[in-house]
Amino acid sequence: MSASTITPWVVGNWKMNPVQAQAQQLLNEFKQLLQNSPIAQEKCHLGIAPTMLALSTVQAQMADAARPVYTVAQDVSRIAGTGAYTGEVSAELLADHGVGYVLVGHSERREIFADQRDQLNAKVQNALNAGLTVIYCVGESLAQREAGQAEVVVLQQICDIAAVVTGDAWGKIVIAYEPIWAIGTGKTASPEDAQAMHAKIREGLKQLTPHGANMAILYGGSVKAENAVELAACPDINGALVGGASLNADSFHQIALAFANTK
Ligand code: PGA
């Protein structure tokens, strides 16, 4: 199967945004756009990652959308099950609330909240055990890129999870490549640079698992309506993890259209 037969994913990462009234308006606008300008389900997976607090509300509000839009948690506890762990939300509790997808390893978690390999592996393992699909984020810093280490850093981050992902569990992993210097900065990796890294990631995945040829590799970092088409045209870019632009219904819809129509 060639890379281009992979159904793309466009996932909005709302981070610690927005307030309730804005979220409601954003979702209503997005639902209207999906109604007026449909994006076929088989052409593109769509997801929204709101705060933990808003997962159930977003899910309820999107239940009558013209097509499925997944609710995605932005993080999950490294502790499984239930118990006395103040402030934590486990993979089992997410699954119990009908949340089937989770981001793990976002650079903001790695950098600001010190999520390290062992914690991240526990999160990935717990999510897989609870039946969730994991969108596992990787990416290099500007200093690492300038030192010529981008590829080594990113491939190492992918190899890290091979300690806990085995066999067909790879089929429940989506990779999101997000160069840290491109996140929220307005700087996007050029389509050529992004494609080059995605091709390396694809090679690495193929060495780790037979699923590697068919796994979606999303790009993230200042994706917007204006650059979505050229990113979508790259053979190994199978979708986008969208931060800032996902807080605008029209931009998010245009990005999804770009991937649905270009792939
Ligand atoms: P951005 O964020 O689109 O605002 O750069 C992407 C992300 O952090 O997932």
Side-chain angles (χ1 to χ4, degrees):
M1 190 187 274
S2 80
S4 59
T5 58
I6 298 169
T7 304
W9 294 65
V10 173
V11 176
N13 176 10
W14 285 5
K15 309 191 178 183
M16 203 166 73
N17 300 293
V19 297
Q20 282 195 78
Q22 283 169 6
Q24 201 170 5
Q25 190 185 341
L26 174 54
L27 294 177
N28 282 337
E29 286 172 11
F30 187 51
K31 279 202 289 192
Q32 196 62 54
L33 287 163
L34 288 177
Q35 187 76 44
N36 297 345
S37 176
I39 298 171
Q41 199 181 336
E42 63 279 7
K43 286 272 201 171
C44 189
H45 298 283
L46 288 178
I48 292 175
T51 65
M52 287 285 184
L53 201 57
L55 279 169
S56 294
T57 323
V58 170
Q59 195 172 45
Q61 218 184 320
M62 294 312 286
D64 63 353
R67 52 150 294 159
V69 177
Y70 313 141
T71 36
V72 181
Q74 294 177 15
D75 192 26
V76 63
S77 180
R78 66 182 171 82
I79 309 280
T82 54
Y85 302 102
T86 304
E88 291 295 282
V89 177
S90 70
E92 285 77 3
L93 290 180
L94 288 173
D96 182 51
H97 281 69
V99 176
Y101 305 84
V102 63
L103 305 181
V104 175
H106 190 281
S107 62
E108 287 150 18
R109 300 293 325 167
R110 292 181 192 259
E111 292 207 317
I112 307 171
F113 300 98
D115 275 8
Q116 313 264 325
R117 190 191 57 191
D118 290 352
Q119 286 102 308
L120 293 174
N121 277 357
K123 290 178 179 196
V124 169
Q125 189 159 38
N126 292 345
L128 293 173
N129 287 346
L132 307 187
T133 294
V134 174
I135 301 174
Y136 177 67
C137 307
V138 297
E140 82 285 359
S141 67
L142 186 57
Q144 288 165 331
R145 174 156 286 257
E146 285 175 348
Q149 292 168 349
E151 211 176 292
V152 171
V153 167
V154 166
L155 292 179
Q156 182 58 54
Q157 288 170 340
I158 290 178
C159 284
D160 285 348
I161 59 167
V164 292
V165 186
T166 50
D168 286 340
W170 282 105
K172 300 278 273 180
I173 303 282
V174 171
I175 301 292
Y177 167 60
E178 301 199 300
I180 298 171
W181 46 271
I183 295 179
T185 58
K187 285 186 200 152
T188 325
S190 69
E192 295 74 26
D193 282 349
Q195 165 56 30
M197 182 63 88
H198 281 235
K200 292 285 174 201
I201 294 173
R202 171 87 51 217
E203 273 174 36
L205 288 171
K206 279 185 181 166
Q207 284 177 24
L208 287 170
T209 166
H211 286 273
N214 305 321
M215 287 171 63
I217 307 171
L218 319 187
Y219 172 78
S222 298
V223 177
K224 37 190 187 273
E226 293 76 15
N227 58 24
V229 172
E230 55 178 8
L231 289 166
C234 299
D236 286 301
I237 299 185
N238 316 113
L241 183 55
V242 187
S246 71
L247 297 170
N248 177 293
D250 197 41
S251 302
F252 188 53
H253 181 258
Q254 281 188 47
I255 294 166
L257 267 181
F259 277 90
N261 293 338
T262 311
K263 287 297 177 189

